[in-house]
Amino acid sequence: MNENLFASFITPMILGLPLVTLIVLFPSLLFPTSNRLVNNRFVTLQQWMLQLVSKQMMSNHNPKGQTWTLMLMSLILFIGSTNLLGLLPHSFTPTTQLSMNLGMAIPLWAGAVITGFRNKTKASLAHFLPQGTPTPLIPMLVIIETISLFIQPMALAVRLTANITAGHLLIHLIGGATLALMSISTTTALIMFIVLILLTVLEFAVAMIQAYVFTLLVSLYLHDNT
């Protein structure tokens, strides 16, 4: 049971070679560059959503922070498309792997923090010691603020991993229960099937929301350091 439950989270292999690279590159095929004078509805919808999200996310940034717009929009497209493709049957979701999410979170967080120390050194150091702190509490507060700073990329990666993994496990469990109940009670199996459909719709929303939350938090870290 445990092996079947977590089988969808195992990295797929062919002839001993991992297919993660191909799976990660596949979402880029869903966003082709249009050379037409008048775009079709799919490309127009993509551009409208990108403009809406970028305007909402980057409007509070100064010119230095707005230089990250292309990177952040690429990030939200990648995470969102990867999460949605992972909901297809017999597919693999790279964002269920903590190592991959850390690989996205740590460089972006480090880039934002390094940018802050380069451009706003005094303001960045001031975050470690709030104004008006009593002298006996200074060492403890510096340690706490340092730990909270270094735990930010871990929180980013764990949040995305936990939410996507939990949703996939629930779909797997409820789907298995529906199949098992079909031979016992048709009415209960039908109720479970309706719950499964509603949960799948919810997971579509969660896939997009988690992509937005991940990118928004990176944007907030960048805003604090520019």
Side-chain angles (χ1 to χ4, degrees):
M1 180 67 182
N2 292 333
E3 182 180 356
N4 294 332
L5 186 62
F6 293 96
S8 60
F9 304 113
I10 300 175
T11 304
M13 309 276 287
I14 290 183
L15 299 176
L17 299 175
L19 298 179
V20 174
T21 304
L22 296 177
I23 295 172
V24 168
L25 293 176
F26 179 74
S28 62
L29 301 177
L30 302 177
F31 305 100
T33 302
S34 178
N35 296 322
R36 298 178 180 179
L37 183 61
V38 179
N39 295 325
N40 56 31
R41 295 179 181 179
F42 181 64
V43 176
T44 303
L45 179 62
Q46 288 180 357
Q47 293 177 350
W48 175 77
M49 291 182 64
L50 282 177
Q51 291 176 359
L52 180 66
V53 174
S54 61
K55 182 178 180 180
Q56 182 179 4
M57 193 175 296
M58 307 303 295
S59 59
N60 295 327
H61 286 266
N62 57 25
K64 289 183 180 179
Q66 291 177 356
T67 58
W68 286 53
T69 302
L70 181 60
M71 181 184 298
L72 294 180
M73 291 303 101
S74 301
L75 178 67
I76 193 172
L77 282 176
F78 171 74
I79 298 177
S81 57
T82 303
N83 291 345
L84 290 175
L85 289 173
L87 293 173
L88 297 175
H90 305 289
S91 60
F92 173 73
T93 312
T95 47
T96 58
Q97 307 296 312
L98 182 60
S99 57
M100 176 178 169
N101 295 336
L102 284 173
M104 292 189 295
I106 291 177
L108 292 170
W109 166 83
V113 171
I114 292 172
T115 301
F117 277 103
R118 286 185 59 187
N119 300 328
K120 298 168 57 178
T121 305
K122 292 184 179 180
S124 298
L125 292 175
H127 286 297
F128 293 97
L129 188 62
Q131 188 176 5
T133 304
T135 304
L137 296 178
I138 289 178
M140 183 180 299
L141 280 179
V142 170
I143 294 173
I144 292 174
E145 291 297 329
T146 303
I147 293 174
S148 66
L149 177 66
F150 282 97
I151 211 171
Q152 287 176 353
M154 282 293 298
L156 274 177
V158 171
R159 181 186 294 106
L160 179 59
T161 304
N163 281 282
I164 301 301
T165 303
H168 286 208
L169 288 176
L170 279 174
I171 290 176
H172 183 88
L173 289 172
I174 295 178
T178 303
L179 288 176
L181 289 170
M182 287 182 64
S183 58
I184 302 173
S185 174
T186 307
T187 304
T188 308
L190 181 60
I191 294 174
M192 294 297 293
F193 182 70
I194 295 174
V195 172
L196 180 61
I197 293 176
L198 295 176
L199 180 61
T200 304
V201 174
L202 177 63
E203 283 305 307
F204 273 97
V206 169
M208 299 302 298
I209 291 172
Q210 288 304 313
Y212 179 78
V213 169
F214 189 97
T215 310
L216 179 63
L217 290 175
V218 173
S219 175
L220 292 177
Y221 297 156
L222 177 64
H223 182 266
D224 293 337
N225 289 280
T226 54

